[in-house]
Structures are given as structure tokens and as C-alpha cells.
């Protein structure tokens, strides 16, 4: 619901004005990618519960895995681009490297967005080797003299499967770095405000706090999501696989749903529209009005 609301508000505003800010562009694409991701998780969950045999069949499982992997990494990288954008726009440092990035924030984030698409495609393509290994394992007779071959191939398959989780480490590191820099910048800004005896609720301070809340919430939900992803990955090699997979998928859905509402509350335009919608004020539900 939250992602659909974001897509509707920003999409309508974009369609009417023919213009969109970089932050709104990222948030809108993030919302769309998460809507697709949630549908993939929903279809996967329904098949797992009502038709586990069909779910585990080679071709269908591979199609779901490819679409899920691409959309999952696209969503994570878009959220990371948003975090980097907030950091460069809000934080203040005198280091030449940071200033160079800050002055070129639009170009830097645009290149990050292109890289996001490329990396998401690469993560999906990387599944080909895993699928080939899975096909080999499925075709091996597990009796007689080939038992040792089966065990060797199974170990290779498990290693490839687990290494797939490493695709999520770079966006996690970038988000941690962005959050750390924002906290440092806010701390220094607050000390300056205290020395000047200025109001602690000036626009710059509020911008820092709002950006930190968005990034911290992303990190918390992303770590929870990463944990559920690890559970889903390990479910291939643990007993009670069906129950573990169901729990993992439920936890996985909390990340995109929860973070979308954090983005709504952290964006003044979206927050105003959302509150108006909850109060059933038709006149306030026109994007761009």
C-alpha cells in the first residue's frame, strides 16, 4: 500500500508537470521495484504453500529466482542511491574529495543509478552457473560409485548459493558509510549551534535528523531483510525447509513495506498527502496541488 501510494503521488505529479526531482525519481522507481518484488514474493509463497511440487520444479523455480534476484538487488541499490544522495546533499565536510562529490551530486547519483541497473543484471546472470550445477545434481544417480561425485557437486552448489549473498555487501557498506558521515556532520553542526546559542530546530538540523532517520530505518530493516535472506538461502540445506522458507518470506516482506512508510513520513509532500488521505480530504489528494 505504501509503495503504491508513493508511485501514485510522484507518478501523477511527474505526469502533470513533466518534471521530477532526482530524489523523487529514485523514490518512485524504488516504490515500483518493491511492488514487483512483493508480487514475486507473494506468488512464490502461494506456490510454496499450495503447490510445493510445482514450486520446486526446475524451470519455474529458475524463472522466479531470476526475477526475484534482479528486482531484489535493484530495490536494495536504489535505496542505497537514495541514502548516498541524502548524505551528499545534507552533510557538510571540508574534505576535497567530499566537496568534489557534493558539487557533482546529480552526476554521481545518475552514474550510480546506471551502475545499479548493470549490477542487478549481473546478479541475475550469475544464477546461470548455479542453475547448471542444480541440473547436474538432479541428473546424478545417488547410489553406487557416483556417491562421491554427488557429494563433490553438492558442496560446489552450496558454495555458489551462499556466495550469492555477497552481492548485498557493497550497498550495505555504502549505506553504513552514508549514515556514519551524516551522524558526524550532525554532531559537528549541533556543537556549532550550541556555541552560537542558536535554536536547535533550525532547518539544517532538521534536515540532518530527517536524513539520519531514513537511513537508520533502512539499515535496521535491511539487516532484518538480509537475515531473512540468509535464512531462505540456508533453507536449502536444513530440515523443515518448507516452514523455514515461509518464515523467511514473511520477514522478507517487512523490509519493503516498512521502509516505504518511513520514506512517506520523511518526505513533507508525501506525508501531507498521506495524512490528507487518512482524513479523507478529497481536495488535498491532488498531486501537485
Amino acid at each position: 500500500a505504501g509503495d503504491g501510494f508513493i508511485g501514485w503521488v510522484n507518478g501523477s505529479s511527474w505526469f502533470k508537470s513533466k518534471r521530477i526531482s532526482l530524489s523523487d525519481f529514485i523514490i518512485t522507481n524504488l516504490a515500483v521495484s518493491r511492488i514487483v518484488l512483493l508480487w514475486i514474493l507473494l506468488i512464490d509463497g502461494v506456490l510454496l504453500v499450495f503447490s510445493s511440487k510445482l514450486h520446486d520444479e526446475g524451470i519455474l523455480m529458475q524463472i522466479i529466482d531470476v526475477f526475484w534476484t534482479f528486482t531484489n538487488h535493484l530495490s536494495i541499490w536504489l535505496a542505497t542511491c537514495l541514502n548516498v544522495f541524502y548524505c551528499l546533499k545534507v552533510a557538510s565536510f571540508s574534505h576535497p574529495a567530499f566537496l568534489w562529490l557534493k558539487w557533482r551530486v546529480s552526476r554521481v547519483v545518475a552514474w550510480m543509478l546506471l551502475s545499479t541497473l548493470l549490477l542487478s543484471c549481473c546478479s541475475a546472470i550469475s544464477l546461470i552457473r548455479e542453475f547448471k550445477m542444480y541440473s547436474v545434481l538432479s541428473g546424478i544417480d545417488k547410489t553406487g560409485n557416483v556417491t562421491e561425485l554427488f557429494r563433490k557437486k553438492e558442496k560446489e552448489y552450496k558454495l555458489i548459493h551462499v556466495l550469492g549473498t555477497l552481492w548485498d555487501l557493497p550497498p550495505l557498506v555504502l549505506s553504513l558509510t552514508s549514515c556514519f558521515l551524516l551522524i558526524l556532520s550532525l554532531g559537528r553542526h549541533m556543537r556549532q549551534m550550541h556555541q552560537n546559542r542558536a535554536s536547535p530546530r533550525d532547518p539544517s538540523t532538521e534536515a540532518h535528523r530527517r536524513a539520519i532517520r531514513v537511513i537508520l530505518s533502512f539499515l535496521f530493516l535491511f539487516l532484518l531483510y538480509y537475515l531473512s535472506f540468509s535464512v531462505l538461502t540456508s533453507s536449502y540445506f536444513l530440515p523443515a525447509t518448507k516452514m523455514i522458507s515461509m518464515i523467511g518470506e514473511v520477514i522478507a516482506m517487512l523490509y519493503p513495506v516498512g521502509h516505504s512508510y518511513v520514506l512517506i513520513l520523511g518526505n513533507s509532500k508525501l506525508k501531507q498527502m498521506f495524512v490528507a488521505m487518512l482524513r479523507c480530504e478529497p481536495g488535498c489528494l491532488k498531486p501537485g496541488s
Side-chain angles (χ1 to χ4, degrees), residues 176-195:
L176 281 170
T177 304
S178 300
C179 189
F180 178 70
L181 290 175
L182 273 168
I183 291 172
L184 283 181
S185 179
L186 175 62
R188 190 176 65 176
H189 179 74
M190 292 295 288
R191 284 195 298 271
Q192 292 175 351
M193 296 293 293
H194 181 71
Q195 291 172 359

Side-chain angles (χ1 to χ4, degrees), residues 213-241:
R213 280 197 296 268
V214 170
I215 295 180
L216 279 177
S217 64
F218 165 76
L219 287 172
F220 171 75
L221 291 167
F222 177 63
L223 287 172
L224 188 65
Y225 184 66
Y226 193 76
L227 176 63
S228 71
F229 181 62
S230 301
V231 169
L232 287 171
T233 301
S234 62
S235 68
Y236 287 88
F237 321 117
L238 297 174
T241 300

Side-chain angles (χ1 to χ4, degrees), residues 35-52:
I35 290 171
V36 176
L37 181 62
L38 284 170
W39 272 105
I40 293 171
L41 287 171
L42 182 62
I43 292 170
D44 188 58
V46 169
L47 288 173
L48 183 65
V49 173
F50 297 105
S51 183
S52 56

Side-chain angles (χ1 to χ4, degrees), residues 125-135 156-157 160:
I125 293 171
S126 69
L127 292 173
I128 294 175
R129 180 172 173 78
E130 185 178 329
F131 292 156
K132 288 181 178 178
M133 191 68 66
Y134 182 82
S135 299
E156 290 181 23
Y157 173 72
I160 294 171

Side-chain angles (χ1 to χ4, degrees), residues 137-163:
L137 285 172
S138 300
I140 292 179
D141 182 7
K142 304 174 186 61
T143 61
N145 297 328
V146 294
T147 304
E148 191 61 34
L149 175 62
F150 176 79
R151 288 175 180 170
K152 182 181 177 182
K153 292 296 182 181
E154 187 179 36
K155 286 180 181 178
E156 290 181 23
Y157 173 72
K158 289 180 179 180
L159 179 62
I160 294 171
H161 198 78
V162 172
L163 287 176

